[in-house]
Amino acid sequence: MAGSKSPTPCGCFCFSRASFAWVGATLLLLADWVLLRPALPRICSLLMPTELPVLRVWVVGLSRWAVLWLGVQGVLKATLHCKSESARVHGWLAALEPLAAALGLALPGLALFRQLDSDRDADSTRLLFWGSRPDAFFLTYAAALPAAALWHKLGSLWAPSDHGDSGDKVRQLLGCLGSEIRRLPLVLVLLVLSCVGEMAIPFFTGRLTDWILQDRTADAFTRNIALMSILTIASAVLEFMGDGIFNSTKGRVHSHLQREVFQAVLRQETEFFLQNQTGAITSRVTDDTSSMCESLSENLSLLMWYLVRGLCLLAFMLWGSLTLTIITLVTLPLFFFLPKKLGKWYQSLEAQVRKSLAESSQVAIEALSAMPTVRSFANEEGEAQKFRQKLEKMKTLNQKEALVYVANLWTTSISGMLLKVGILYIGGHLVTRGAISSGNLVTFILYQIQFTTAVEVLLSTYPRVQKAVGSSEEIFEYLNRTPCCPPSGPLTPLEMEGLVQVQDVSFAYPNSPDVPVLQGLTFTLRPGEVTALVGPNGSGKSTVAALLQNLYQPTRGKLLLDGKPLPQYEHCYLHRQVAAVGQEPQLFGRSLQENIAYGLVQKPTMEEITTAAIESGAHSFISRLPQGYDTEAGEAGSQLSGGQRQAVALARALIRKPRLLILDDATSALDANSQLRVQQLLYESPERSSRSVLFITQNLSLVEQADHILFLKGGTVCEEGTHQQLMENNGCYCAMVQAPAATSE
């Protein structure tokens, strides 16, 4: 039976590979302890002179690194063949390479620190050999494991991933800095110098403590206070310069990012806007983009500053006391584990909050844009209740976010207090034994407090970075999305005739691919002729208009303009030659002059705007307005009536002097005088011979003079001819003309 099938051979194979990875790592550990620990120091003691102990330690460390690296490569190659396990197994195996490097460099680095410290015995480096001090073996692992984990984590931020994880998102966030990223090296240099200067206060505080206890002279005291003050002031100046350079780029980055996102949205095909709600798109372009910019400015600044500061502090702590530094580093996993888990939860909650915000914005936009309908149905309270429901959902998610934030803050605070108590206790014992001086202990405690603060800030910033990653997911989907529409073509001929050929065109909308709208449609639009397209609602007339504007691509067949497919024409050029006016044209909240000239690369003269308005019948009511052509149309043309919007939209099309003019029920809201003017424009205008016209209307009285009439039904042309021919056929067209509703708008 299907349910009783045994595991596949591939599954067993993958299981053995995963097991081998663990076995291989364990064998490397044993080899490091049993073979490398006793053998390498002895070999180097025979080959290297005893007068150069630091050099001997470095040769041992580098040799250890090389041998471990070869073993790691063998383990990695043995597990690469298992595809299903590679992502999971290599998640930790990839950290073995930086671990091998850290193990090899840990002892040489510590030896170099001791050698440079003039207060220590230079020959103390011999105590770091594994043969004489086996505990040094465990010391190297205690120091190498956190370093390897940190290196692997930072490296994963830049490594590409097939799963689109947060590392890829962080790389893209930094990539959004664009050309401004070249300023970061200068900022980092200033931060390093500033952090080094800031170390003067703890350093001199410890030294002054020793001098006070030893009754040193007042001159040395004053001299060191002055030097500390100079270094502190220099540190503040350098920090100010770094912050100034960094903050000066924030505004440019914000504008650059919003522009890129908005342009990416504008490049998408028409189906994209049908499948995504306007409120959701608006939320991505505005709210989510602002959140990303906030993370790239404030949080990135905090990360850079406290990371550099933490590394400088760690170096000075190693210089001061190796034992206390190791104790501090061993506690670091307590700082990393819980914040990492909470950060993932925080990221998930933020994505849910953004989705909920987009949904509530969509409810508000729909209600506010249709207020006459809401009021006419007395559904104000219903819309308010629906909006409240969305807000309640978002309120619950915000409360969970707050809980995660408090839990993260509490865990880091408790860990920090326990660490301070432990350092004071162990440091006191070291002072009583004479291992370090009282001043060095004071200096180390000040370093350690600042280091712990830096770690706490980094860990508190990490969830906010995760929050930005959660909110940026949809934005990067927009930025990386390739439009399904064909790219702009190269054709921009100087002369165009305006001959349109629709050849065996079929079409179905992408969201309903099984519902054909047009089927085998074929007809021709000729210059100087008016072709009327009529038919019942839902027959596909508006779809034909959309296809001729290159808003969609036919699923079959071709649309030719002067014998060339529409996609082969350059985008702006094509839409100068093809102009359309719909039943409910969209105007913008700008002046009427700007609406008429909308989309033209070269700004038209006022005379050209007025001429187009006169042709469309818009000049008569525009001239009566107090501000004339400078009058604001209002949001979506709300300050104008339906007929006035159609007249302005018609002027917007005519000013282009198109070779193909499409009127898609564009006279439905016009009064009798305006409709008469449109008839004169179509049939008596001097420019009639220079353009093809596709006239789509339900008012059949306006198409009687058309040169050619197409009756569309079910996505196909079932009748065609002149008005007289179709009336004589006594078919569908004749029945529609004679229907009582034919004379109505």
Side-chain angles (χ1 to χ4, degrees), residues 731-742:
C732 297
Y733 176 81
C734 180
M736 180 173 283
V737 171
Q738 295 176 352

Side-chain angles (χ1 to χ4, degrees), residues 416-569:
M417 288 189 291
L418 293 176
L419 177 60
K420 292 173 185 176
V421 173
I423 292 296
L424 286 173
Y425 177 78
I426 298 175
H429 281 282
L430 292 176
V431 171
T432 57
R433 295 203 308 264
I436 60 174
S437 66
S438 300
N440 286 337
L441 178 60
V442 171
T443 298
F444 185 88
I445 291 175
L446 293 177
Y447 285 152
Q448 187 272 330
I449 291 175
Q450 294 183 21
F451 179 74
T452 305
T453 302
V455 173
E456 289 177 351
V457 172
L458 289 174
L459 294 178
S460 64
T461 305
Y462 182 75
R464 291 200 294 270
V465 174
Q466 294 292 94
K467 176 180 178 180
V469 170
S471 64
S472 67
E473 184 175 354
E474 292 292 338
I475 289 181
F476 286 122
E477 181 180 338
Y478 290 173
L479 287 173
N480 299 330
R481 188 179 189 274
T482 302
C484 297
C485 56
S488 177
L491 294 181
T492 56
L494 296 177
E495 297 292 335
M496 174 167 286
E497 182 181 356
L499 177 65
V500 179
Q501 296 169 286
V502 179
Q503 298 179 350
D504 193 28
V505 168
S506 298
F507 178 76
Y509 286 99
N511 53 354
S512 302
D514 298 329
V515 181
V517 180
L518 300 177
Q519 303 181 65
L521 194 63
T522 300
F523 62 87
T524 301
L525 304 178
R526 295 179 174 82
E529 293 185 358
V530 175
T531 301
L533 187 62
V534 298
N537 291 331
S539 57
K541 302 186 297 298
S542 296
T543 301
V544 173
L547 289 173
L548 289 175
Q549 296 174 69
N550 204 35
L551 300 181
Y552 301 95
Q553 302 303 312
T555 53
R556 192 184 69 186
K558 294 182 180 180
L559 293 167
L560 306 179
L561 179 60
D562 281 2
K564 302 293 184 181
L566 291 183
Q568 292 187 10
Y569 288 94

Side-chain angles (χ1 to χ4, degrees), residues 194-212:
S194 175
C195 290
V196 172
E198 191 180 0
M199 301 299 107
I201 294 180
F203 178 79
F204 284 103
T205 300
R207 292 302 174 93
L208 292 174
T209 301
D210 285 337
W211 289 338
I212 292 174

Side-chain angles (χ1 to χ4, degrees), residues 245-400:
I245 295 174
F246 184 84
N247 291 327
S248 66
T249 65
K250 292 198 304 186
R252 290 192 292 270
V253 170
H254 191 179
S255 301
H256 170 76
L257 181 59
Q258 282 198 318
R259 182 175 66 251
E260 289 297 321
V261 175
F262 189 61
Q263 288 179 347
V265 171
L266 292 180
R267 287 193 296 267
Q268 303 307 317
E269 71 280 3
T270 309
E271 294 92 328
F272 173 82
F273 300 97
L274 297 179
Q275 297 169 359
N276 296 272
Q277 296 179 335
T278 304
I281 298 176
T282 304
S283 177
R284 305 304 175 203
V285 176
T286 56
D287 297 337
D288 290 0
T289 306
S290 297
S291 297
M292 287 177 57
C293 291
E294 179 183 352
S295 299
L296 285 172
S297 57
E298 179 182 356
N299 292 331
L300 184 59
S301 177
L302 288 174
L303 283 173
M304 287 196 307
W305 168 250
Y306 281 98
L307 181 60
V308 172
R309 187 179 187 185
L311 293 176
C312 292
L313 287 166
L314 181 60
F316 279 92
M317 288 167 59
L318 286 169
W319 185 281
S321 174
L322 178 62
T323 302
L324 295 179
T325 303
I326 294 299
I327 294 173
T328 302
L329 293 178
V330 168
T331 61
L332 285 181
L334 297 176
F335 290 89
F336 285 124
F337 180 72
L338 285 179
K340 180 179 179 181
K341 298 300 180 182
L342 293 173
K344 292 182 178 179
W345 191 11
Y346 204 94
Q347 179 182 0
S348 175
L349 288 174
E350 177 57 22
Q352 296 179 46
V353 168
R354 291 296 170 183
K355 181 179 179 181
S356 179
L357 179 61
E359 292 175 355
S360 61
S361 299
Q362 181 63 26
V363 171
I365 290 174
E366 287 181 349
L368 295 176
S369 62
M371 276 307 299
T373 303
V374 173
R375 187 146 297 171
S376 65
F377 286 90
N379 195 37
E380 294 89 346
E381 183 59 31
E383 293 294 338
Q385 177 64 26
K386 188 174 182 181
F387 190 68
R388 281 196 298 270
Q389 291 174 354
K390 297 295 183 182
L391 292 181
E392 284 297 325
K393 180 181 178 182
M394 192 164 57
K395 178 182 177 181
T396 303
L397 294 173
N398 285 328
Q399 290 174 344
K400 291 182 180 180

Side-chain angles (χ1 to χ4, degrees), residues 11-55:
C12 296
F13 180 75
C14 290
F15 175 78
S16 63
R17 292 295 184 185
S19 301
F20 178 77
W22 289 100
V23 173
T26 305
L27 290 177
L28 284 177
L29 176 64
L30 293 176
D32 193 23
W33 168 258
V34 176
L35 299 178
L36 300 183
R37 184 182 66 86
L40 287 178
R42 293 177 183 176
I43 295 174
C44 289
S45 64
L46 297 175
L47 300 177
M48 303 293 297
T50 58
E51 295 80 9
L52 300 174
V54 176
L55 179 61

